[in-house]
Amino acid sequence: MVAAAFYWIGRPERPLVSRPASELSFVGSQTCGECHATQAKLWQASQHRHAMEHATNQSVKADFNDAVFDYAGTRSRFFRKDGGFFVETDGPDGKLSAFEVKYTFGVDPLQQYLIAFPDGRIQALSIAWDTRPKDQGGQRWFHLYPDAAVTSSDPLHWTKPSQNWNFMCAECHSTAVRKNYDPATDHFTTTFSEISVGCEACHGAGSRHVAWARGDRGAAGSAKDPVKHLVVKFDERSGITWSAEAGTLTPVRSAPAVALRKEVETCGRCHARRGQLSEEWTPGRPLSETHRVSLLEPQLFSADGQMRDDEETYNYAPFKQSKMFAKGVTCSDCHDPHSAALKTPGDGVCSQCHPPARYESTAHRHHADVSPPLSCASCHMPERRYMVIDRRHDHGFRVPRPDVSVQTGVPNACNDCHRDKPASWAADKVESWFGQERRGFQTYAQAFGAAWIEAADAQALLAAIARAGEVPGIVRASALAELPAPDVELIRRALSDPDPLVRLGALDALERMPADQLWSLASAQLVDPVRGVRIRAADLLASVPRAQQPTADRDRFARAAAEFIAAQRLNADRAEARTALGNFYARQADAAAAETEYRAALKLDPFFAAAAVNLSDLYRQLGRDADGERILREQLSRSAQDASLHHALGLALARQKRTEAALDELRQAAVLDPGQTRYAYVYAVGLHSAGRRDDALSVLNESLRTHPDDVELLSAAISFSRQKGDTRAALEYAERLARLRPDDSSLAELIRELNR
């Protein structure tokens, strides 16, 4: 087979799949512009932030006149040759090579450059051009990881999967993308209908609408069709007005918001942190139909739901947490959907609903002496920085809560400016202005803060959030997913929630349930109306043997399982997807298929530790511990600082009775990742089994200093202290555990015994 992936890039061919003639097809923005000239021009003009274009003298903004840039010991040179644009930099092998720039990516405030490889991969160079004016610090080359030293041996290097356009970028920066990855040859033949974002990227394929507009009654049906044969009609705002509620000045929507926000779900396709499950996306459908949306997790969000610096969380999740969304605001209430600009400049967009006389007053803002004056966004939409220089507003529309910062350490808008002051100072100021009642709409920082430090009250706090009907769906889903222990009745109710995100969170909560209890709880979701929920249910239920599946449900499981497998096959170019498929086959007791997928994952990404750990565990189940050890050692030669690999290797060595070597690996895991209490617990158990009781207790106490409410650590400390004969210490640990488990009768009896 000839690998001609690049041949297809940039050409307007349809995907290499045969389609019925009657099926919708893409017509291109030029055709749309025949009728919608104004919208098309606005949209074309708005492409300055995310446009993808061929590299030409007009599109390239950077200095390619033998400019040089030094980073991590490599001097990269940018130059022109034979009318093309080239960069000489470190390639996949770490050696200097010249690469031709084929595409530009974005314009404002930075522009990246894409390089095509013979196997169809398009890779985004990590050295970007700052397009801002020079007096703003721009007109320079800079690296997207300035505080690191990313070389060819690093997973973040520009030649690695993390910087791959076909998977990471294409869906949102081009129209009608079909990735077309062939795992047999490890080649891409990616196609799109338009190189950049066109009309149909949001409105869906337009052939039927064009036929309707041209009066082709045979193809398009009645000319009186109210939706004009569009895939979706964004009419949520039609006839809607906002007016101030008498006596409160609170804006009220003239009609209740519909449950499914077609606009928000459509915008979320690109403005959400998510993974793709299917390329058969339809505008206006729940995003969970074709994508798995990231919930609130500590790597991406603060405990109160604010997006973190330098983490691409986008604004779907923050907006869905907001009071604005809860009251019915949609994206186009504030933004023109075709130009992406605000409906009116500055605070004018807020004063469409919020009376300026009240909210622009000194009594509200308390910053009369600040120049330039603060805007609404300054306090209610704090900026966070991405890709070094790209500043974006958090769309959570939250009340500044420095008092919550004092309690949980989350950031707040006050201290974003007053960095020289503590959060307590800001909290006192806010209280002096507005009084003690500063609840705001987002009230879940304490719950997620407790969960993320494994505090004793995390279960109760998260359960309360998950039960609260007024809490945003994405937050309730996140609370369910974070529950330390499954709450069966709460999960049952959540599985029938109208919000698919909540149903997904409930399925995540079942991950910790025994396999023999799963079917009765989760099998109904195998026929859920939303594909993402069906896929998650199939993944969860894969561990239930076919013989234990009710006969009436077997076909349902098979169909949902096929959807799960198809989603992973779509992403077969990613180690994550191949590992997920390996896990699925392992739960299905198909060891050969699981091994194939894990090995494929490691071939795609030799740095992906999860594949090595899972493959090693598969070998353990097959009685092949020596093979498991070999896999882990090979992986450690590339990723020596990965705690999960050291932990897995320690367990493998322990099973082989190589105690000292095992303890050394378990120790390294506990040291490398002190936040993972399981590593400390297992290391302590290993030390205790080797007769080193004092060392074991020392490890437990060290971990308990930062995780004082960890039940597993406390239970081990009780047991080890009793065996050592230290009744006083055992009693102290038992009393600490009793505060976490006040209804545990066996623990109460133990305390009475220790007291005697």
Side-chain angles (χ1 to χ4, degrees), residues 350-372:
C350 304
S351 61
Q352 291 179 114
C353 296
H354 300 280
R358 175 179 179 181
Y359 293 104
E360 292 181 4
S361 67
T362 302
H364 179 75
R365 298 196 174 187
H366 294 277
H367 286 78
D369 57 342
V370 174
S371 181

Side-chain angles (χ1 to χ4, degrees), residues 46 65 67 197 272 277 305 390 447 482 520 557 565 572 575 619 648 652 656-657 668 670 724 751:
S46 76
N65 297 312
V197 179
L277 303 173
D390 190 4
E482 290 283 354
S520 63
F557 174 77
I565 293 170
Y619 287 152
Q656 298 176 53
K657 310 299 183 186
Q668 291 190 65
K724 183 184 175 183
I751 290 173

